[in-house]
């Protein structure tokens, strides 16, 4: 690996961390992907886990089968219980950081549930410092489970309006995929993919097979199947430049997506 950071050490010792020349030198450093062969899949809380046995058992069987050929980091959403907590906390005028902690507790519970269902296959749930052992889990059993909520807690950046944390489990799973330099990010939901409107509430919603971040923003697709602030993370990402949304209630969809098939919706950074 060539050394492309000549002069960066000196700049770091002499300049502000906001210095333009320092930032340019850091950007020029050779890129490095920590887990380039792994895929992050996010299991929706409200869309999949909250449905219980009917939705989870077939998906668990599919995960067990596909992990023989794929390295999987499996993130969990929060879902309905988190929404109930958000409702109570927002009614009490508690800040976004507190709501973030409450949402994280539910995503953690869902990670525990999924971990117990996959325990007999050697697939464990990890959190916090346990994430440092992810490469070992992937080497041994090709899969590991984590809570999708990013650990901002009280440091959660508040949204411009309201107190609902803007960066939740979609963002958390994407950030992990990006930081580890993973090869793909798949969101497992309960709809075919992205529509022009919420298909649960609009009968005129039209399916969108592929779209860019800029196109989503231009069309005002705020009521989309993914957290809208996550699009800004995708737009500026270095490694994961597209995400895929599939319907996890249809057996085989996850397998097809992992094989590189264009099913569901693909959202691109550019």
């Amino acid at each position: 690996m060539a050394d492309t950071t000549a002069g960066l050490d000196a700049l770091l010792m002499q300049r502000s961390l906001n210095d333009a020349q320092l930032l340019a030198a850091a950007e020029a450093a050779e890129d490095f992907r920590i887990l380039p062969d792994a895929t992050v899949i996010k299991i929706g809380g409200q869309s999949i886990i909250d449905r219980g046995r009917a939705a989870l058992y077939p998906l668990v069987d599919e995960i067990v089968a596909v992990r023989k050929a794929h390295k999987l980091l499996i993130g969990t959403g929060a879902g309905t219980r988190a929404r109930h907590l958000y409702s109570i906390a927002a009614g009490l005028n508690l800040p976004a950081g507190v709501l973030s902690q409450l949402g994280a507790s539910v995503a953690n519970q869902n990670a525990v549930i999924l971990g117990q269902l996959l325990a007999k296959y050697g697939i464990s749930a990890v959190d916090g410092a346990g994430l440092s052992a992810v490469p070992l889990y992937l080497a041994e059993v090709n899969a590991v489970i984590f809570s999708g909520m990013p650990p901002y807690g009280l440091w959660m950046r508040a949204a411009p309006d309201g107190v609902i944390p803007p960066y939740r489990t979609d963002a958390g799973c994407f950030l992990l995929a990006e930081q580890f330099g993973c090869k793909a990010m798949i969101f497992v939901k309960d709809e075919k993919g992205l529509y022009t409107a919420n298909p649960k509430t609009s009968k005129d919603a039209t399916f969108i097979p592929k779209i860019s971040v800029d196109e989503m923003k231009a069309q005002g697709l705020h009521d989309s199947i993914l957290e809208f602030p996550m699009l800004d993370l995708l737009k500026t990402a270095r490694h994961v430049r597209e995400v895929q949304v599939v319907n996890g209630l249809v057996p085989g969809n996850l397998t097809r997506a992992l094989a590189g098939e264009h099913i569901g919706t693909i959202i691109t950074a550019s």
Side-chain angles (χ1 to χ4, degrees), residues 22-128:
L22 185 154
L23 295 175
E27 182 68 21
E30 187 169 347
D31 210 355
F32 182 78
R33 302 175 80 122
I34 298 171
L35 295 173
D37 298 324
T39 296
V40 174
I41 61 174
K42 190 258 177 133
I43 310 299
Q46 188 174 47
S47 54
I48 301 293
I49 297 173
D50 286 350
R51 293 175 181 267
R53 178 188 295 262
L56 267 180
Y57 275 23
L59 193 57
V60 163
D61 290 340
E62 191 167 356
I63 288 171
V64 171
V66 298
R67 61 93 184 232
K68 297 175 183 176
H70 302 277
K71 295 183 182 297
L72 306 175
L73 284 80
I74 307 164
T76 54
T80 304
R81 281 165 288 140
R83 290 167 181 257
H84 179 59
L85 287 170
Y86 291 158
S87 174
I88 296 172
L92 295 170
N93 287 324
L94 294 175
V98 173
L99 272 68
S100 177
Q101 291 178 307
L102 296 173
S105 69
V106 181
N108 289 340
Q109 292 167 9
N110 286 339
V112 171
I113 290 172
L114 193 58
Q116 295 304 313
L117 292 176
L118 288 164
K120 64 182 179 181
Y121 305 103
I123 302 174
S124 302
V126 300
D127 62 1

Side-chain angles (χ1 to χ4, degrees), residues 205-216:
T206 302
F207 175 67
I208 302 172
K210 190 171 185 177
I211 192 170
S212 71
V213 170
D214 288 342
E215 289 169 337
M216 282 188 69

